[in-house]
Amino acid sequence: MLLEDQRFLHEDLERLEQGISDRILDDPRHIRDRLNRDHQISGFLDRIQQQSKRLLDIYNDAEGLRTKEIQSISTGDPFDEFYKQLNEIKDFHRRYPNEPVENLERAYKRKAPGEGESATAEIDNLFTGEEAYGRFLDLTTLHEDYLNLPGVQSRRITYLQYLNVFDHFTPPQCPIKRPEKTTDQYFSYVGRLTDYLESFLRRTRPLEDLDKIFNSFDREFNEAWEAKEVPGWGVETQMVGPAAPVTEGTGEGIWCHDCAKEFKNENVYRNHLSGKKHIKAAESRAVKGCAANGTPGGDVNGTSTSKTSSSTSAKDLKERAIAEREFRVRKLASTMETVRSDTRVNIERRQGMTERERQQELDALFAESAEPSLRPSGADDESDSSGDEKIYNPLKLPLAWDGKPIPYWLYKLHGLGVEFPCEICGNFVYMGRRAFDKHFNEARHIYGLKCLGITNTTLFREITGIEDALKLWDKIQRDKKKEKSGGENVVQMEDAEGNVMPEKVYYEYASPFVRLFNIIADTSITVYKSKACYENNELDQRPQHISFRQS
């Protein structure tokens, strides 16, 4: 079956190449989709290398099995060999009836989001929320480890300051001295920092040959270490003893090598030599290394020379390992300088935001990344077909709303050259009044209002500023609360005709007439029926009082 395996490998390689070419032609807009595409292509390239290695082994035919199979097919009855292999296939599927059959055509075909492929699930697990799919660094844990290192606890720095100095390992940016760097805690910290930067680079650049870059870092370090040019790990030329030159420190006073301290006054320096702190520092320095005056720090007679040499070699190996990690951190930080500056800007921006604004930004990020998966499968086909059509525009005429060229006078007539920015839509600029009026009912503007906490979007037409929208929404909410609280204690009034209305409306519209009638009734205007009395000669001296009161 080697010939069948050979044919299968050739088909697999062709399918892999076709899958890579299909994904390279795709140009996704979101960074998550781009990373997913790059990681898929990287996986295909790894599989091509594996399958090519297997195919080369078959062609080399070290055991001669391929030659025997070709001879068995070419000599004798070919049907015997055919039925023999057929029986082997049937026997295999009889023993393993549930064995799935691999379909290469569907295995590497790019699936649409509507076909049930969760393509970006792996990318979501690769990055933390702070990294934002590889746009920013997340060094919060390493910052805490750095603050707990010996020599740094008295000099605490903020996270923003740490982003500027995490690749500096020499004074004055780094307060850690050389003897303190040989501790296990510092060695573990530098190792974790190196591993994180390498991992970040592999996750964000899956198609680059990073092993070649890392090997170049190793070669540069070996050359610098042999030349004693690694920053912070050069040859120590300090002297041991009370005699001290005046060329250390600022160069103006007397420098004490044991205590790494400068003295401006000579009398103060002499008194310092007899202190307990200086004696203890001198003894510890003499034990750690006395190579400057040629005597080992152990036995004076030289009986422990082998132990000292072994400890010195172990110390040199540890210093080399630490220096190598520091050198690699510097190189990796210089490679990701753009990401580092973007991280600083992002941290400064987020420090001025409230918790609500941070949550809105996070929701907008997830909604933007989930937007392509919510589109129907037919929409992609329509967009692809429309994108393939090349619009014929030899006169370079301006384009209308549908993307087709129109005369310039019509372009000016419709005002397509006028820009209408909308802050709610992320400062998106709409060209022309028609597109601007239409966008209030589109998903982008509605989603922007929902991010601000506005649910009733119909009342916010012609409002494009975030501050104006929030003010109007607050006013609407206050009016609703006031109306709700006032509606609970409404007093109903009834007029003369039996109409029921609130007390406020009643006194605004009905009260003028009521007051007029009451005035007329209170003054008791006397009406004399003079005309009727004179005509009938029935003049009655008693006046008739007519009062108009509210019935």
Side-chain angles (χ1 to χ4, degrees):
M1 301 292 288
L2 288 178
L3 293 179
E4 175 59 24
D5 293 342
Q6 181 179 345
R7 184 208 62 79
F8 176 81
L9 291 174
H10 278 290
E11 181 185 0
D12 194 16
L13 291 176
E14 291 180 0
R15 297 288 185 185
L16 286 168
E17 292 177 359
Q18 182 63 35
I20 291 175
S21 62
D22 293 340
R23 284 161 177 79
I24 289 179
L25 293 176
D26 187 20
D27 189 15
R29 294 180 297 175
H30 197 267
I31 185 172
R32 186 175 71 163
D33 298 330
R34 288 198 299 269
L35 285 173
N36 176 66
R37 179 199 63 182
D38 295 344
H39 278 278
Q40 285 184 353
I41 294 175
S42 177
F44 289 168
L45 292 175
D46 294 339
R47 184 171 175 81
I48 285 177
Q49 292 181 353
Q50 297 174 1
Q51 300 293 67
S52 299
K53 185 178 180 181
R54 291 179 55 191
L55 191 59
L56 287 175
D57 293 339
I58 293 176
Y59 276 114
N60 293 331
D61 196 15
E63 299 179 358
L65 299 177
R66 180 171 176 270
T67 305
K68 292 180 181 179
E69 185 173 346
I70 293 175
Q71 289 178 357
S72 63
I73 294 176
S74 59
T75 59
D77 190 1
F79 288 101
D80 294 340
E81 184 65 25
F82 170 76
Y83 284 113
K84 180 182 177 181
Q85 295 183 4
L86 180 61
N87 292 330
E88 291 178 357
I89 294 174
K90 289 182 178 179
D91 182 62
F92 175 81
H93 286 283
R94 190 181 300 110
R95 286 182 286 128
Y96 306 99
N98 297 326
E99 184 71 17
V101 179
E102 186 176 6
N103 188 355
L104 296 180
E105 185 176 0
R106 299 185 59 183
Y108 309 123
K109 184 179 179 181
R110 181 175 176 271
K111 297 181 181 179
E115 296 181 9
E117 180 187 18
S118 58
T120 57
E122 297 180 359
I123 301 300
D124 294 337
N125 298 329
L126 286 178
F127 299 95
T128 63
E130 189 70 23
E131 290 175 338
Y133 301 111
R135 291 190 293 177
F136 312 117
L137 295 172
D138 186 8
L139 301 175
T140 52
T141 305
L142 294 168
H143 174 237
E144 295 178 359
D145 297 341
Y146 176 80
L147 295 179
N148 294 325
L149 291 176
V152 187
Q153 297 177 357
S154 60
R155 183 187 174 186
R156 305 184 67 86
I157 59 176
T158 62
Y159 180 59
L160 192 61
Q161 294 173 342
Y162 176 73
L163 289 174
N164 296 325
V165 301
F166 74 87
D167 60 334
H168 296 282
F169 302 100
T170 56
Q173 291 86 358
C174 181
I176 304 175
K177 300 178 182 179
R178 182 168 177 174
E180 296 173 346
K181 290 185 178 181
T182 56
T183 58
D184 295 337
Q185 188 177 0
Y186 182 80
F187 182 78
S188 176
Y189 160 73
V190 180
R192 288 195 299 270
L193 181 58
T194 307
D195 294 340
Y196 172 77
L197 295 178
E198 290 181 359
S199 172
F200 185 85
L201 207 60
R202 292 185 184 277
R203 286 178 291 157
T204 54
R205 304 180 185 180
L207 297 181
E208 295 186 12
D209 191 2
L210 298 178
D211 293 332
K212 182 178 179 180
I213 298 176
F214 296 155
N215 293 333
S216 66
F217 292 166
D218 295 337
R219 289 194 301 269
E220 293 179 8
F221 170 75
N222 293 331
E223 295 175 358
W225 183 262
E226 294 296 333
K228 305 295 182 180
E229 296 178 354
V230 180
W233 298 95
V235 179
E236 291 184 334
T237 58
Q238 296 179 351
M239 297 177 59
V240 179
V246 295
T247 57
E248 297 290 343
T250 59
E252 298 177 356
I254 302 176
W255 179 261
C256 179
H257 292 285
D258 298 325
C259 301
K261 190 176 181 181
E262 185 180 11
F263 297 89
K264 300 292 184 180
N265 195 338
E266 185 177 358
N267 295 328
V268 177
Y269 172 71
R270 290 177 180 176
N271 295 328
H272 165 74
L273 295 178
S274 60
K276 295 182 180 180
K277 185 177 180 181
H278 174 78
I279 295 173
K280 186 177 179 180
E283 290 177 356
S284 62
R285 187 165 179 266
V287 172
K288 289 182 179 179
C290 298
N293 51 13
T295 59
D299 191 359
V300 180
N301 297 325
T303 57
S304 60
T305 305
S306 58
K307 296 181 180 179
T308 307
S309 60
S310 61
S311 62
T312 304
S313 61
K315 180 182 178 183
D316 293 341
L317 290 176
K318 191 170 185 179
E319 288 183 350
R320 179 186 175 90
I322 296 174
E324 182 181 3
R325 282 163 173 76
E326 291 181 354
F327 185 85
R328 179 164 291 198
V329 168
R330 292 191 192 94
K331 290 294 183 180
L332 291 172
S334 62
T335 305
M336 297 182 292
E337 189 62 33
T338 303
V339 181
R340 184 179 180 180
S341 61
D342 293 342
T343 305
R344 288 196 296 265
V345 174
N346 182 57
I347 294 299
E348 292 176 353
R349 182 180 61 85
R350 288 174 64 87
Q351 286 179 351
M353 298 171 62
T354 62
E355 184 64 26
R356 177 186 175 188
E357 292 174 343
R358 295 193 189 99
Q359 187 63 33
Q360 290 177 355
E361 182 183 15
L362 189 62
D363 295 341
L365 177 64
F366 284 116
E368 183 182 359
S369 60
E371 182 180 356
S373 60
L374 298 177
R375 281 185 292 176
S377 58
D380 295 336
D381 300 336
E382 294 177 1
S383 62
D384 294 339
S385 61
S386 61
D388 295 338
E389 297 179 0
K390 186 176 181 181
I391 298 176
Y392 181 72
N393 188 14
L395 300 179
K396 307 296 181 182
L397 296 175
L399 302 180
W401 308 281
D402 54 357
K404 296 181 181 180
I406 58 174
Y408 187 75
W409 64 270
L410 190 59
Y411 175 85
K412 296 290 289 183
L413 179 64
H414 290 293
L416 295 177
V418 182
E419 297 181 353
F420 292 90
C422 181
E423 188 180 4
I424 299 176
C425 298
N427 293 324
F428 190 85
V429 178
Y430 295 92
M431 303 302 295
R433 184 70 189 182
R434 178 177 177 182
F436 177 73
D437 294 337
K438 187 179 178 181
H439 98 280
F440 289 104
N441 298 325
E442 294 177 352
R444 185 199 299 270
H445 189 81
I446 295 175
Y447 178 76
L449 290 174
K450 288 183 177 179
C451 290
L452 298 176
I454 299 172
T455 56
N456 189 2
T457 60
T458 57
L459 302 177
F460 291 80
R461 196 174 183 85
E462 299 294 332
I463 295 179
T464 59
I466 295 178
E467 185 178 357
D468 298 337
L470 292 176
K471 288 182 179 179
L472 179 58
W473 180 247
D474 293 338
K475 185 178 184 302
I476 292 174
Q477 295 299 317
R478 289 196 305 269
D479 294 341
K480 284 185 177 179
K481 291 180 180 179
K482 186 177 180 181
E483 182 179 358
K484 184 178 179 180
S485 61
E488 296 176 354
N489 301 322
V490 162
V491 178
Q492 300 290 337
M493 303 291 291
E494 183 179 356
D495 61 356
E497 298 179 357
N499 299 323
V500 180
M501 63 189 70
E503 183 181 7
K504 182 179 179 181
V505 178
Y506 176 81
Y507 282 113
E508 285 180 0
Y509 297 100
S511 59
F513 301 99
V514 173
R515 288 197 300 269
L516 178 61
F517 291 149
N518 290 336
I519 291 173
I520 296 174
D522 293 337
T523 54
S524 300
I525 301 176
T526 304
V527 179
Y528 294 94
K529 299 181 179 179
S530 57
K531 184 177 181 180
C533 293
Y534 282 118
E535 291 179 353
N536 299 326
N537 294 322
E538 296 178 355
L539 181 59
D540 191 0
Q541 297 299 327
R542 292 174 300 174
Q544 182 179 0
H545 298 274
I546 302 176
S547 60
F548 299 90
R549 291 189 178 273
Q550 181 182 2
S551 62

